[in-house]
Structures are given as C-alpha cells and as structure tokens.
Amino acid sequence: MGRQPCCDKVGLTKGPWTADEDKKLVNFILTNGQCCWRVVPKLAGLLRCGKSCRLRWTNYLRPDLKRGLLSDFEKKLVIDLHAQLGNRWSKIASHLPGRTDNEIKNHWNTHIKKKLKKMGIDPVTHQHLSPPEVDTTEEVGPFPVKSTISTNDKIMSPFKSNDVLLANNSNFCIDEIPVIGPHEILLPPTPSASSNAAQSIEGYCSNKLNSDIWDQEFGDVFDFLGDLNCFKFV
DNA sequence: AATCACTTCAACCGCCTATGA
DNA sequence: TTCATAGGCGGTTGAAGTGAT
C-alpha cells in the first residue's frame, strides 16, 4: 500500500493557472479569508487540489507580494541568512517581507549559487573551495570585480579576481566570523616570481606600490566578501 | 527564418511535522 | 500511545522564454 494522496486527485486540473481560476481563488480568499485549504477549491468552484490553491495564493496571488528582481540588499541578506540557516527557505523568506520561499529558492539556485561557485565559494558551506574554479570571463557577485585593472594604463594586474585564495579555510559558523589579515590571503605565484610559492596580497602590494593600487585591484573583492559576512578584514 | 542550447521560474511531488481524536 | 489528517516545506521538473548559431 502506497501513501494516500493528500486529496482526491481524480478529475483535478494540473499545470499553469488560468486568469479565471486566479480570479475565483482571489475572490474566495478575500471574501472568506484563509481557512481550511482542503475545502477551498470546492467552495471556490475550482477543480484544483487544496495544496495547489495554497501554493498559488502564497507564491503568486497574495496582495502583499513584491514583484520583480531582488534588490542588492535582498541578495546580500539571502546569502547572509543562508549561511546561518542553510536551505530553510521559508525561514529565510520570513526575513524578507513580500518575498516567498519559492522565489528565494529559485533565485538562489539560478543566480547566487552560480556566482558563489565562480568566486570559488562553496554555496552549501560558504567556505572557499580548493582548488578554486577559475573563470576569467564573468563578473563576480552583485558587484563587478575587475579582472584586469589599469592605473593610467601603466600597471596591469597579472591576477584575475578568482585567483585570490583564502588561506584561512577552517570551519566556522556565522557567529564566529574569522578575522583575517592581508597576509592570510594568498595569490598564486606570478610567472616572473623568483619562487613558486604563493604570496600574500599584502606582500604583492607592498612590493608593488601604494594603497591606491591595493584598493583598485582588490577593493571590490574585499567589499563583496565583507558584505557576505564571510570574513572580516583587519 | 529556423533550429538548437541554455536559462528561468511556476508548479508539482513526496516527505515531515503538528494536531486532534 | 497510536493513527489519521492537514498544512508546510524543500527538492525537482518541465514548459516557456531568450539568446546563439
């Protein structure tokens, strides 16, 4: 014996909702309020499963829903909350008024997850992957990270943004944000370097020049990681 | 213009939990 | 305590849209 279905599905409509169905459901909920979802379709004159009605209402028809893309602030909040809560989308959604768990889950899977992976950050653990995936063609995170930055066309960085390796790779939770310094962020050796050892950003920049170059070359990376609350920089 | 590949997101499925008898 | 039921949740699917060739 298999599990009993949540409702009698014989003769029920599936697939995309029509405007007429939406109208019936909205009218019923606005008139009667949210009550027992099992009886809603019958009372509203719909050939739908109660679960389907609840989903349609909460994810699409609710009048307090925000439409459109997530703002940068919302994206950062989702990443931050995901680091704390994991895939508990409904909990995450409860912190973003007008957004649904389904919407946030979809956005995570289609946008944020990919961007974190491209940054070399594991979207599940929020820790740096080793070795990092290298992609030199795309922007990273909500903010564009320059892969090659010039200063009056005099100095070109030999590094791509994804070449930045985080030396501090120990486990941590969001309540214990690690504090790392420039000496702990490693860059791969350059072809011209005398040694094959990775060098720190601090070393790289001190050899090179001044803080302006530091900000121009790595400021966006720091800003983004800092915004994620994954790391604090000293 | 036609076809193919890729992306997006609404909706479904099945499991888990809370509640009441 | 056990069982049945409903609601809620997260994972997954597939149709529609979009861009590339």
Side-chain angles (χ1 to χ4, degrees):
Chain A
M1 285 280 282
R3 185 187 176 86
Q4 284 195 333
C6 66
C7 50
D8 181 8
K9 292 183 178 176
V10 178
L12 294 185
T13 309
K14 288 174 69 174
W17 281 62
T18 64
D20 187 50
E21 286 177 312
D22 282 348
K23 194 176 172 183
K24 284 181 179 175
L25 182 58
V26 169
N27 284 341
F28 180 84
I29 300 292
L30 293 181
T31 305
N32 301 283
Q34 294 180 55
C35 58
C36 176
W37 286 110
R38 189 179 171 82
V39 302
V40 163
K42 191 174 287 182
L43 297 178
L46 293 162
L47 290 171
R48 292 276 180 174
C49 162
K51 270 188 173 186
S52 183
C53 293
R54 183 183 61 82
L55 208 64
R56 183 66 178 170
W57 172 258
T58 55
N59 287 342
Y60 199 81
L61 298 175
R62 254 168 52 201
D64 61 327
L65 284 180
K66 277 187 197 170
R67 314 302 304 180
L69 297 171
L70 272 69
S71 67
D72 279 351
F73 173 76
E74 287 175 315
K75 288 176 190 173
K76 280 182 272 185
L77 187 56
V78 168
I79 294 169
D80 198 4
L81 290 167
H82 186 272
Q84 299 177 59
L85 301 169
N87 292 359
R88 292 155 75 182
W89 305 115
S90 62
K91 296 283 182 192
I92 293 172
S94 68
H95 289 80
L96 288 93
R99 300 295 187 183
T100 70
D101 54 353
N102 207 37
E103 185 180 13
I104 292 169
K105 177 174 59 183
N106 281 333
H107 189 79
W108 178 270
N109 287 328
T110 57
H111 296 100
I112 299 174
K113 206 161 133 181
K114 288 179 188 171
K115 287 185 175 178
L116 289 177
K117 279 183 178 175
K118 281 173 183 167
M119 289 183 68
I121 295 172
D122 185 337
V124 178
T125 63
H126 291 251
Q127 293 175 32
H128 199 275
L129 293 166
S130 182
E133 295 174 19
V134 175
D135 183 332
T136 61
T137 60
E138 302 216 17
E139 291 180 351
V140 178
F143 314 105
V145 177
K146 305 175 190 73
S147 61
T148 303
I149 300 161
S150 64
T151 303
N152 299 327
D153 294 324
K154 289 178 182 173
I155 299 165
M156 302 293 289
S157 168
F159 302 118
K160 304 294 187 288
S161 58
N162 285 316
D163 288 340
V164 178
L165 309 174
L166 297 174
N168 186 338
N169 200 26
S170 57
N171 295 334
F172 60 89
C173 70
I174 197 68
D175 296 330
E176 301 171 289
I177 300 168
V179 176
I180 61 175
H183 62 286
E184 295 173 289
I185 303 172
L186 304 182
L187 297 167
T190 59
S192 60
S194 56
S195 142
N196 282 333
Q199 63 175 325
S200 70
I201 286 181
E202 184 181 51
Y204 169 69
C205 288
S206 64
N207 286 340
K208 270 217 134 175
L209 14 125
N210 55 48
S211 59
D212 288 343
I213 301 306
W214 168 283
D215 286 341
Q216 286 180 41
E217 298 215 3
F218 302 106
D220 287 334
V221 175
F222 288 167
D223 285 347
F224 182 65
L225 292 174
D227 284 331
L228 296 185
N229 276 350
C230 292
F231 301 96
K232 282 178 180 172
F233 299 102
V234 295

